Amino acid sequence: MTLFRFIKIAFFLSSLWLIQPATAQNYRPSAGIDARVDALLSRMTLDEKIGQLTLYTTDWGSTGPTIREGYKNDIRSGACGNLFNSHTTEFVRELQKVAVEETRLKIPLLFGFDVIHGYKTIFPIPLGEAASWDLEAIEKSARVAATEATAAGLNWTYAPMVDIGRDPRWGRVMEGGGEDTWLGCRIAEARVRGIQGKKLGDPDAMLACVKHFAGYGAPIAGRDYNTVDMSERYFREYYLPPYEAAVRAGAATVMTSFNDYDGVPATGNKFLLDQILRKEWGFEGFVVTDYTSINEMVNHGVVANDKEAGELSLNAGVDMDMQGAVYQRFLKQSMQEGKVTQAQIDEGVRRVLRLKFELGLFEDPYKYCNAAREKATLFSPENRAAARDVARKSIVLLKNEKQALPLKKGQKIALIGPLAENKSELIGNWNGAGNANDCVSLREGLAGNELLFAKGCDLVGEDKTGFAEALRLAAQSDVVVVVVGEGAMMSGEAAARADLGLPGVQEDLVLELVKTGKPVVVVLMNGRPLAIPRIAESATAILETWWLGTEAGNAIADVLYGVYNPSGKLPMTFPRSVGQVPIFYNERNTGRPYDPNSKWTSKYIDSPNSPQWPFGFGLSYTTFSYKELKASPELTVLRGTPTLERARIQVSVQVTNTGKVAGEEVVQLYIRDLVGSVTRPVKELKGFKKILLQPGETRELKFTLTEKDLSFYRRDMTFGTEPGEYEIMVGGDSEALTKVKVKL
Ligand code: NOJ
């Protein structure tokens, strides 16, 4: 057999191995549950069944139009089997009581809520947490959130949001893990583990809901809810893996997205829900729509009315209708007309009931309604300490000239800016049951030091009358700390921006302060990458702090004073201008790669191609060096012939702390497949390790690249490796990399 033929066979075998749908980690119903579900199902009327496929918001909140009022009557009649936006043990108990005492079959309700980065103790926004590159910290944050939420009556959260975001105009980048697929997968897994805990059914475990399936993070022009379209190759390679990772980590539920993909809205998309999610990934939980997204398929123009929309949805694989009241109003009629079948409805109900049994709600429908537990758990000192820890880890030092940071004891600080003593924005968007007044502002965090304070200006608006006082105080200080950014509601859902600068006159304020000649430390608070080239150039130091939550002020003060040495790295590229957007590090090569000396290459005539700050970038109060990068391929020998099947590359590198203080470094590993059957990215993250090094300490780190890491969708759309040369790159960000080549 020729080597070529052998390799082809090896590819075939490897693709078979990789498409095995089920792994041990997917959610699987526990023993005995199906029998209980079937017994219950056999007693249910069609209306009661449809009720289990129905989810309504209470009047405590909504994130869209309230199509259906009177949810309490719907619970009582069995027409609504699940609720969201109700929490606290008291309220949940009151509603659950209606379900289990006043309905015929006494089926308990699920209680969902958007617990995105904390319930009462608010952690950094997810994009901020992603900047920690600390999977344990991210898991811990999700664990604390779940512990609090379940103590307050909840058993289902609409998280994690794992949509890859490469366009900072899209406001929802704040809710995700950033632009990178590999990092996004690891974060998705960590969050699912944190939310669902050791096992569903434990009193502090809740159902995770992976969202928004699929591709919601790629709306054209960054405008929320807009069309999504891209090749299937691109979609599978960059956008789908984090959803799959979450499913394979055991996520029990999945939420559809508002967008269409390839012309078919996700909520009616059989290719996504049936082929990919259920058949390829072996998902056995239930699928819920996003808010009224069944109804919105009428606006999409793929169905003529709500009834048809419901049919499209159920036939595609949607189990539960969030807030659209479409299943409730039309599914019975659709069944009578033969447009959907009894078997399809039964299957959806089975999926929902299984998880109610799994949670133990039939044994104790009030298991999340213990007021004493609620009191002891919410906002506990331990939870706040965890929030402070994660918050410090999420801060990214973007610039530090003249060793402006850390601040020195005894320095007189002019603390300026609309966010310097603000609390209301610190909990960010999607802040659960968080109370902004509970937040520690930066002014409070810095208390005890000599502070001069002036607001300078508002977040928005043209008023510059506060500048004079700010400049007067700056002149009297040793160092200026100016706190600027976005308002919390400027990102998140329905908050796309066409401009990525600082709103209002904030940039002018910073530039005026710079003119005083004092060192100016800019503290940014925002939910997306900003384009701030003038500040990037002129400020002395810049700290990206996102919205850090309850403990924001303490965490930032820890970093400003060097109590904690910053270790965060950007999970998204920061552009120089909106014109560069979408901009991300792992672009594919072109036929005319960038060459500064040649006009006829892929570039701008009025801007560099390079970003302001690249993906993976972040400084420390110390420095690190990288040496001795080595990579060796390991081919498995199969029947006497070397093959790529199960191929691995072993990588090692030595990292040294070359500065004077201890510090953490995120050691990042990227690969490039130099020649492929299709164009390959110029870099792809495939591993990282976060390590703490003492001054002068050197550590050797080892990575193993597996066959899966080297695989991609080849020209014929099979997933696997190809022989050839790879570049292996290791470093502290996606641009500062040492390289070595290796051949497979
Ligand atoms: C709409 C949002 O897109 C989704 O993320 C959220 O979970 C639901 N509303 C429920 O609030």
Side-chain angles (χ1 to χ4, degrees):
M1 183 183 327
T2 63
L3 181 62
F4 179 70
R5 201 152 157 247
F6 198 89
I7 286 169
K8 266 183 94 173
I9 293 172
F11 284 166
F12 176 69
L13 290 172
S14 68
S15 7
L16 280 187
W17 170 63
L18 284 159
I19 56 167
Q20 289 299 313
T23 73
Q25 288 178 311
N26 275 44
Y27 160 70
R28 296 282 176 255
S30 306
I33 281 193
D34 280 339
R36 297 179 74 185
V37 167
D38 284 339
L40 179 54
L41 198 68
S42 67
R43 296 166 54 213
M44 292 172 78
T45 64
L46 182 57
D47 288 328
E48 284 165 341
K49 288 177 182 176
I50 293 171
Q52 291 303 308
L53 305 182
T54 296
L55 169 66
Y56 288 139
T57 182
T58 68
D59 44 11
W60 273 29
S62 65
T63 60
T66 306
I67 286 187
R68 184 85 182 174
E69 309 280 355
Y71 59 93
K72 284 189 193 161
N73 292 336
D74 284 326
I75 303 171
R76 201 165 281 120
S77 69
C80 165
N82 311 283
L83 284 177
F84 68 121
N85 292 329
S86 42
H87 42 108
T88 71
T89 54
E90 197 186 340
F91 192 31
V92 168
R93 182 177 282 276
E94 175 192 328
L95 298 168
Q96 190 70 294
K97 199 162 182 276
V98 180
V100 299
E101 291 185 16
E102 299 182 42
T103 67
R104 192 178 74 92
L105 292 173
K106 309 187 180 347
I107 302 176
L109 303 163
L110 285 180
F111 287 91
F113 192 41
D114 291 286
V115 182
I116 307 296
H117 53 112
Y119 174 73
K120 184 63 86 182
T121 308
I122 303 301
F123 283 69
I125 57 168
L127 186 65
E129 289 190 345
S132 73
W133 292 58
D134 186 328
L135 300 174
E136 269 176 39
I138 292 170
E139 183 174 338
K140 172 82 183 173
S141 157
R143 187 83 288 271
V144 171
T147 309
E148 290 196 349
T150 51
L154 293 160
N155 46 37
W156 186 23
T157 174
Y158 303 134
M161 191 281 232
V162 303
D163 305 316
I164 292 297
R166 294 170 157 197
D167 188 333
R169 291 172 297 185
W170 188 54
R172 301 199 78 168
V173 296
M174 65 144 286
E175 296 169 51
E179 75 184 42
D180 184 61
T181 308
W182 197 89
L183 180 61
C185 288
R186 304 293 83 78
I187 291 175
E189 294 157 353
R191 289 198 199 285
V192 171
R193 284 195 301 268
I195 292 166
Q196 296 196 166
K198 288 205 186 68
K199 93 174 158 37
L200 293 177
D202 285 350
D204 61 357
M206 64 199 309
L207 306 176
C209 185
V210 186
K211 67 189 193 185
H212 305 80
F213 191 67
Y216 184 42
I220 291 174
R223 228 175 53 222
D224 208 2
Y225 317 125
N226 204 6
T227 304
V228 171
D229 211 354
M230 64 182 86
S231 69
E232 188 182 332
R233 179 188 309 286
Y234 207 75
F235 194 53
R236 284 188 181 268
E237 193 157 326
Y238 300 109
Y239 285 86
L240 289 182
Y243 308 104
E244 179 178 4
V247 165
R248 298 221 185 267
T253 74
V254 168
M255 186 186 293
T256 64
S257 54
F258 287 123
N259 57 281
D260 64 339
Y261 169 70
D262 193 19
V264 184
T267 302
N269 196 316
K270 196 165 178 171
F271 171 65
L272 291 179
L273 300 174
D274 191 50
Q275 171 60 31
I276 294 182
L277 181 65
R278 292 226 167 83
K279 296 211 168 77
E280 294 182 26
W281 300 348
F283 176 67
E284 289 192 24
F286 72 77
V287 173
V288 62
T289 70
D290 202 345
Y291 201 109
T292 61
S293 64
I294 297 185
N295 320 52
E296 290 167 26
M297 292 199 289
V298 178
N299 284 344
H300 274 286
V302 295
V303 283
N305 51 48
D306 283 358
K307 179 174 154 291
E308 283 182 18
E311 291 156 6
L312 185 62
S313 256
L314 193 79
N315 284 319
V318 165
D319 301 305
M320 193 184 286
D321 171 3
M322 182 194 286
Q323 195 56 23
V326 173
Y327 282 4
Q328 188 187 341
R329 287 178 291 153
F330 302 111
L331 218 46
K332 200 171 180 178
Q333 186 190 342
S334 299
M335 199 189 104
Q336 284 154 358
E337 289 171 6
K339 302 278 176 32
V340 299
T341 65
Q342 175 79 60
Q344 285 174 308
I345 295 174
D346 283 357
E347 193 46 38
V349 178
R350 259 193 209 100
R351 291 181 184 129
V352 174
L353 291 179
R354 256 184 217 138
L355 286 165
K356 292 188 177 184
F357 278 109
E358 205 78 71
L359 289 172
L361 286 172
F362 285 90
E363 282 74 27
D364 180 5
Y366 304 112
K367 66 186 282 190
Y368 308 98
C369 297
N370 176 335
R373 176 180 156 208
E374 181 178 35
K375 193 154 179 270
T377 311
L378 268 44
F379 214 56
S380 69
E382 307 84 75
N383 292 355
R384 292 189 60 175
R388 181 170 180 165
D389 180 56
V390 180
R392 312 197 296 189
K393 289 175 169 161
S394 304
I395 295 173
V396 186
L397 178 62
L398 294 174
K399 183 176 182 187
N400 193 14
E401 282 186 348
K402 301 181 196 143
Q403 295 186 317
L405 291 177
L407 300 175
K408 325 291 169 286
K409 278 277 167 223
Q411 274 181 325
K412 192 190 279 183
I413 303 168
L415 181 64
I416 312 287
L419 292 166
E421 70 166 357
N422 174 285
K423 290 179 182 240
S424 63
E425 312 304 317
L426 298 181
I427 50 175
N429 203 336
W430 296 115
N431 43 44
N435 181 349
N437 290 326
D438 288 338
C439 288
V440 179
S441 71
L442 182 54
R443 190 174 184 186
E444 288 167 344
L446 288 172
N449 298 283
E450 198 174 346
L451 289 184
L452 305 168
F453 171 76
K455 190 172 172 198
C457 65
D458 290 325
L459 270 179
V460 292
E462 299 304 311
D463 185 5
K464 292 190 178 179
T465 49
F467 280 26
E469 174 67 355
L471 294 170
R472 192 179 69 76
L473 297 186
Q476 294 171 21
S477 70
D478 299 315
V479 58
V480 177
V481 174
V482 55
V483 194
V484 289
E486 300 179 299
M489 292 303 150
M490 288 179 194
S491 70
E493 188 177 351
R497 290 185 64 197
D499 174 20
L500 295 176
L502 289 172
V505 293
Q506 296 183 89
E507 175 162 306
D508 295 342
L509 175 66
V510 175
L511 297 177
E512 287 300 315
L513 290 166
V514 167
K515 283 191 203 150
T516 63
K518 301 284 179 178
V520 173
V521 177
V522 177
V523 175
L524 296 170
M525 294 181 177
N526 45 281
R528 54 156 63 77
L530 297 173
I532 44 168
R534 295 206 292 170
I535 292 179
E537 170 144 17
S538 62
T540 324
I542 304 176
L543 268 191
E544 174 54 72
T545 73
W546 322 102
W547 292 305
L548 293 177
T550 306
E551 289 290 322
N554 286 332
I556 299 169
D558 286 345
V559 167
L560 287 175
Y561 274 107
V563 174
Y564 181 79
N565 186 354
S567 63
K569 303 273 187 176
L570 295 177
M572 272 187 90
T573 305
F574 273 48
R576 295 172 192 272
S577 66
V578 180
Q580 289 184 313
V581 167
I583 181 170
F584 46 90
Y585 83 94
N586 61 349
E587 59 186 12
R588 290 178 181 170
N589 217 347
T590 67
R592 294 189 173 197
Y594 174 70
D595 176 353
N597 301 315
S598 166
K599 175 174 168 61
W600 311 106
T601 61
S602 177
K603 64 184 187 187
Y604 301 102
I605 57 168
D606 57 354
S607 161
N609 277 19
S610 64
Q612 190 73 59
W613 292 293
F615 173 80
F617 178 80
L619 301 169
S620 160
Y621 295 150
T622 188
T623 46
F624 300 95
S625 75
Y626 287 77
K627 279 194 226 93
E628 302 287 328
L629 174 62
K630 292 186 192 128
S632 47
E634 279 179 9
L635 295 188
T636 309
V637 178
L638 200 66
R639 283 185 229 101
T641 312
T643 166
L644 281 178
E645 191 190 358
R646 311 282 199 273
R648 289 168 180 269
I649 300 176
Q650 303 291 359
V651 180
S652 66
V653 67
Q654 289 188 7
V655 188
T656 305
N657 179 344
T658 48
K660 294 196 173 58
V661 291
E664 287 163 284
E665 171 71 322
V666 179
V667 179
Q668 301 162 42
L669 169 72
Y670 297 84
I671 65 166
R672 176 172 181 184
D673 181 357
L674 289 167
V675 178
S677 57
V678 292
T679 51
R680 304 295 301 128
V682 294
K683 271 165 216 170
E684 292 175 272
L685 182 76
K686 290 294 176 184
F688 70 87
K689 288 190 174 153
K690 189 164 186 175
I691 51 163
L692 172 68
L693 291 178
Q694 299 302 320
E697 184 184 348
T698 297
R699 182 137 6 128
E700 185 179 52
L701 296 180
K702 292 188 194 304
F703 296 86
T704 302
L705 289 164
T706 63
E707 189 207 7
K708 183 155 191 217
D709 295 323
L710 306 172
S711 296
F712 62 98
Y713 289 91
R714 295 171 293 210
R715 188 164 313 172
D716 63 1
M717 283 304 280
T718 57
F719 185 71
T721 51
E722 287 178 350
E725 241 185 338
Y726 289 82
E727 212 163 44
I728 309 295
M729 298 164 265
V730 177
D733 68 61
S734 63
E735 286 186 359
L737 296 165
T738 53
K739 300 178 186 179
V740 66
K741 275 190 191 162
V742 63
K743 201 166 181 174
L744 267 189

